[in-house]
Amino acid sequence: MDKHHAAQGASKGRRKALKGLIGLPFIGGIAAGAYAEVRKKQQEKDQILRELNIEAERPDIASDMSGDPVRIGIVGNGGRGQHLVRVLGFATPAWVQAMQEQGNTGALEAYQSQENLNVKLTGVCDVFEVNAELAQSASPDCKRYRHYEELVNSPDIDAVVIATPDHWHAPVAIAALQAGKHVYVEKPMTHKIAETYALREAARSSKAVFQVGHQHRQTQSFITAQDIIRKRILGHVSLVQANTNRNSDNGAWQYHIHEKASPQTIDWDLFLGNAPRIPFNKEHFFRWRKWWAYGSGLSGDLMTHDYDRVNCILDMGMPRFVTASGGIYTHRDGRDVPDVFQAVMEYPDFTTGSSREAGLEKGMTFVYSATLGNQHWRETLLMGHDGTLELGNQLRVHADPNSTRYQHLIESGVMDPSVPIYAYDPASGNADGVTSATSKYFAQKGLLWTYRGGKRVDSAMLHLREWLGAIRNGTPVSCGIDEGFEEAMSAHMAGLSWKLGRRMEWDAATEQMIAQPGEDLDAVLLSPGRAIAGMMG
Amino acid sequence: MTYSKPQLFFLTALRLFAGWHFLFEGFIKFLTPGWTAQGYLLSAQGPFAPFFQWLGSDALIGISDTLTAVALSAVGLTLILGIWEKAGAFIGIAMLAFFYLAHPSWPGIPAAGPSEGNYFIVNKNLVELAALGVLAWFPTGHLLGLGVFFNPQNQVQHG
């Protein structure tokens, strides 16, 4: 091998190596690029999450369910009552059979895997024979009481769950508290103004535990939302909107009329109670939500959910002014409660904190809007100077493009006001700062977050569990008499504003609704019609 | 197989670009904490949607995620390095067929997400799929790539 050949060989070798290894620099470049890209996104996300510092979980309140079983009586074992009794652990054989026939294994499995709350169902009072027998079929210990007074005074009952029509909530709750029994009462807490004060007095002067059935207070996302407000993520919230949209017979309270209903199977006089005396009427019995005499329409029946949803997050309490409008526009079937309803609540002194100069921001309006003639989904929104919270089972926070607090993050490109800066889903247990357009898209469709790991738990069960924990261990309840008072009174103000056609005002000093001289607001609230000339319903 | 210079240039460029695309997608998925294909799979459209939703189910999503990231990276490596490129191209074709069928750009089927272009039946997944077919049958790794070292015609002659 001469020198020339050797040089040629070395040159060929180098060329071969160059040709062979052509891809290597690309791999280095791609790896560096991918690393830099992911790192940048992660840093932006970390910066956002650090800035927000939202705590997604709450500490577990130890609630020991051991000891003697709590003996429970159910007053009003209709649709809602049966649900509450079931989450307490007493499904009827008829329900189990119906779920099996429908192939609803999910509901059956959820029921079977439910936590044992260590309670006995020892009593039922229902004016309809069929409902009373249903409770008895779910529990061998369950005795039927013909009158609620007998049930609440029975030595076999420690605690009472009340799921009657609205006009019976307060009378039964007051009687139970006076008998020293713990009370769990469905919403709205009361049907009238006077009994709201009376029930508050009864709860305050009793050692028994009192809880109103706003089970969403157990919803993890609402507890997270409380932290969002505490950390002033939204800045000063000036407007809150919540909505009800339904478009079905069931949603408009056109419930099934039981074939066994008759004056022989229903104690009609006891059902009427303090309502106007009218002859036996199956429709009034099963579809009581359609009349002011027993129910409270959209303001008491559904707005109370939204009011308390927001009150449990903002703790804004009683509104100063309430104005309502609406009418019977979608179900002109003889009902006297509105089926389209808007209420505007004013809180001129309320603030969630401000990121701007002192004194500039104060006051908030809560707008509730409902129709029973359209079911298009409308988000619940809490709108602040620095951000907007979409409130549901999932949470999403968008920074406001003109936010003061996030100005530097928006200008530096870390925050994009068009995508959520925070998204939370209790089902996945993950909190995440969402920074990409596709993540946003999937987040909006609810596809990224599914139930995994943990099982689904009924929030009414958790709410009852909290009540039982308070009975056993003295731990606090989340929807006690003060929260119930605010919920009931604000609903009554909205109902009255609709009926009277004028703005209702709350006097915080005397804790009273301001009435005209000689005006009996309770009589107006219960009356079937409206006092506005030319308006029907 | 012999190529003219422009043929070799563009075939190699195509191989490197496709490899780049696959490898970058694979790396990003490995490096992003909590990355998952679940959203993409669960939102699948068209006649094969149930199959992709099954792949995205809680029981299978772990395997689906790992396989996706590994396969994307492996395809990218074979194309960039220029070795086993035919096998890599076939795996890439299978993956692109999956991506295409999970969200086919057919009339009447909603798009998977915001898109930068407009597609009628043919979309970029399908174009890249065909490109990988070209790479499988017009290999260049033995001329420009690790294949050089295994190419008998390319052995350095020692005098």
Side-chain angles (χ1 to χ4, degrees):
Chain A
M1 191 174 71
D2 60 25
K3 263 186 164 178
H4 175 71
H5 273 106
Q8 219 176 21
S11 161
K12 271 190 172 176
R14 274 198 300 277
R15 272 169 51 203
K16 188 174 125 182
L18 277 176
K19 285 179 175 179
L21 300 175
I22 187 170
L24 277 183
F26 289 92
I27 293 178
I30 291 166
Y35 178 72
E37 172 84 7
V38 169
R39 189 151 177 265
K40 180 169 171 278
K41 277 189 187 159
Q42 189 64 41
Q43 279 175 341
E44 285 177 0
K45 201 165 89 172
D46 288 348
Q47 198 181 345
I48 291 173
L49 290 177
R50 221 176 18 249
E51 165 77 28
L52 303 182
N53 186 28
I54 298 164
E55 285 169 73
E57 304 296 329
R58 70 163 170 181
D60 262 344
I61 296 171
S63 247
D64 188 2
M65 289 290 138
S66 65
D68 291 337
V70 175
R71 298 167 305 167
I72 289 178
I74 171 82
V75 181
N77 193 40
R80 184 62 185 165
Q82 287 163 37
H83 180 87
L84 294 175
V85 165
R86 188 161 59 245
V87 295
L88 283 169
F90 302 94
T92 62
W95 180 83
V96 173
Q97 195 188 340
M99 290 304 111
Q100 282 166 345
E101 282 168 7
Q102 290 166 21
N104 194 343
T105 48
L108 283 170
E109 279 167 20
Y111 172 68
Q112 278 150 7
S113 61
Q114 228 168 248
E115 182 187 349
N116 181 359
L117 298 177
N118 190 22
V119 296
K120 280 185 174 176
L121 183 64
T122 51
V124 58
C125 175
D126 197 295
V127 296
F128 182 32
E129 203 169 275
V130 171
N131 286 346
E133 285 166 3
L134 275 173
Q136 289 182 294
S137 75
S139 163
D141 306 317
C142 186
K143 181 181 165 189
R144 183 179 179 193
Y145 296 86
R146 298 280 164 179
H147 198 283
Y148 72 89
E149 290 280 2
E150 294 167 36
L151 183 142
V152 301
N153 287 300
S154 164
D156 300 328
I157 303 281
D158 303 316
V160 182
V161 173
I162 302 164
T164 59
D166 299 353
H167 69 306
W168 271 117
H169 285 177
V172 180
I174 291 167
L177 288 167
Q178 284 172 349
K181 305 297 162 75
H182 308 289
V183 168
Y184 181 102
V185 63
E186 267 303 326
K187 52 96 272 221
M189 187 179 83
T190 62
H191 193 230
K192 296 186 258 302
I193 300 162
E195 67 187 19
T196 313
Y197 296 109
L199 178 52
R200 185 170 69 170
E201 187 51 39
R204 283 179 175 173
S205 55
S206 167
K207 285 182 183 155
V209 176
F210 178 84
Q211 170 110 301
V212 181
H214 280 299
Q215 71 276 358
H216 55 253
R217 284 188 177 248
Q218 307 300 326
T219 304
Q220 188 64 53
S221 57
F222 289 78
I223 293 156
T224 307
Q226 288 168 354
D227 199 51
I228 289 175
I229 297 302
R230 259 197 305 274
K231 304 268 168 66
R232 301 189 170 185
I233 305 291
L234 308 180
H236 173 73
V237 173
S238 56
L239 183 61
V240 175
Q241 70 161 46
N243 312 282
T244 297
N245 277 65
R246 292 178 171 187
N247 198 9
S248 68
D249 280 350
N250 197 59
W253 310 310
Q254 284 292 87
Y255 298 147
H256 172 67
I257 292 177
H258 201 282
E259 54 280 1
K260 286 191 182 158
S262 77
Q264 285 70 49
T265 55
I266 291 172
D267 185 340
W268 180 246
D269 285 342
L270 188 52
F271 165 77
L272 286 179
N274 52 26
R277 302 277 116 187
I278 61 164
F280 179 76
N281 184 321
K282 287 182 196 180
E283 194 178 12
H284 277 231
F285 183 77
F286 288 99
R287 298 171 179 174
W288 54 265
R289 292 175 201 267
K290 289 163 54 176
W291 288 277
W292 287 104
Y294 332 102
S296 36
L298 282 163
S299 52
D301 211 304
L302 295 176
M303 185 188 73
T304 47
H305 280 302
D306 289 287
Y307 168 83
D308 192 68
R309 251 153 45 101
V310 176
N311 197 26
C312 91
I313 293 164
L314 297 183
D315 195 19
M316 73 278 187
M318 284 303 297
R320 172 89 181 276
F321 304 107
V322 179
T323 312
S325 71
I328 304 167
Y329 302 150
T330 69
H331 290 78
R332 296 160 65 90
D333 56 4
R335 67 183 61 199
D336 65 14
V337 298
D339 47 28
V340 173
F341 183 78
Q342 269 63 235
V344 180
M345 298 189 183
E346 303 291 348
Y347 295 83
D349 298 319
F350 181 76
T351 184
T352 51
S354 176
S355 58
R356 309 178 77 188
E357 61 259 46
L360 188 64
E361 297 177 311
K362 194 176 84 168
M364 178 188 83
T365 295
F366 170 72
V367 180
Y368 172 75
S369 166
T371 173
L372 299 183
N374 172 288
Q375 65 175 45
H376 181 79
W377 175 255
R378 292 184 288 167
E379 296 280 358
T380 298
L381 296 176
L382 279 67
M383 294 180 243
H385 170 71
D386 293 317
T388 302
L389 170 65
E390 288 175 38
L391 176 72
N393 235 340
Q394 302 177 1
L395 302 174
R396 273 194 298 272
V397 178
H398 280 82
D400 194 274
N402 285 316
S403 158
T404 302
R405 173 171 172 173
Y406 306 123
Q407 190 184 8
H408 62 293
L409 291 171
I410 292 169
E411 280 170 1
S412 64
V414 172
M415 273 188 186
D416 178 354
S418 71
V419 299
I421 54 170
Y422 183 82
Y424 172 73
D425 177 20
S428 71
N430 293 325
D432 213 347
V434 180
T435 52
S436 84
T438 44
S439 294
K440 177 198 170 198
Y441 173 78
F442 287 123
Q444 280 176 336
K445 291 190 83 173
L447 286 164
L448 275 184
W449 297 290
T450 56
Y451 290 77
R452 60 167 78 202
K455 61 180 181 178
R456 252 170 61 162
V457 186
D458 189 303
S459 55
M461 192 281 268
L462 292 174
H463 205 48
L464 284 159
R465 188 185 192 281
E466 183 185 80
W467 175 60
L468 292 165
I471 293 169
R472 290 188 160 111
N473 311 312
T475 44
V477 292
S478 55
C479 199
I481 189 64
D482 292 332
E483 291 81 5
F485 181 90
E486 291 164 356
E487 172 254 271
M489 281 302 193
S490 54
H492 298 331
M493 284 177 82
L496 280 165
S497 174
W498 181 75
K499 293 205 158 193
L500 292 167
R502 73 161 192 258
R503 187 173 80 163
M504 300 305 295
E505 183 174 356
W506 179 254
D507 183 342
T510 60
E511 289 194 290
Q512 281 185 336
M513 242 173 274
I514 295 172
Q516 306 283 1
E519 194 174 43
D520 180 350
L521 291 179
D522 264 341
V524 175
L525 189 57
L526 297 185
S527 65
R530 294 174 79 181
I532 311 171
M535 296 293 286
M536 75 150 291
Chain B
M1 193 172 285
T2 55
Y3 302 118
S4 67
K5 276 191 174 171
Q7 284 173 334
L8 182 61
F9 178 80
F10 280 109
L11 282 171
T12 308
L14 181 61
R15 198 193 82 209
L16 289 172
F17 292 170
W20 180 297
H21 182 213
F22 270 80
L23 190 59
F24 191 75
E25 283 283 13
F27 277 2
I28 284 281
K29 288 169 176 51
F30 272 123
L31 291 172
T32 305
W35 171 82
T36 175
Q38 195 161 30
Y40 189 82
L41 290 168
L42 291 182
S43 64
Q45 301 279 343
F48 304 102
F51 169 68
F52 292 108
Q53 280 153 8
W54 174 69
L55 289 179
S57 63
D58 285 349
L60 283 182
I61 187 63
I63 299 169
S64 301
D65 283 348
T66 308
L67 273 181
T68 305
V70 168
L72 284 170
S73 306
V75 171
L77 282 174
T78 63
L79 296 179
I80 287 195
L81 291 173
I83 188 163
W84 303 310
E85 58 199 294
K86 195 162 187 172
F90 284 151
I91 297 170
I93 285 171
M95 295 193 76
L96 288 164
F98 269 40
F99 298 156
Y100 179 78
L101 291 173
H103 291 271
S105 50
W106 299 343
I109 293 183
S115 166
E116 81 286 28
N118 299 287
Y119 306 109
F120 172 65
I121 301 174
V122 174
N123 65 10
K124 289 182 186 172
N125 281 330
L126 215 51
V127 173
E128 192 168 19
L129 185 153
L132 290 191
V134 169
L135 292 176
W137 273 279
F138 294 88
T140 51
H142 62 293
L143 300 171
L144 281 169
L146 280 185
V148 165
F149 301 115
F150 305 96
N151 184 356
Q153 291 173 12
N154 220 1
Q155 294 303 315
V156 177
Q157 299 298 311
H158 294 281

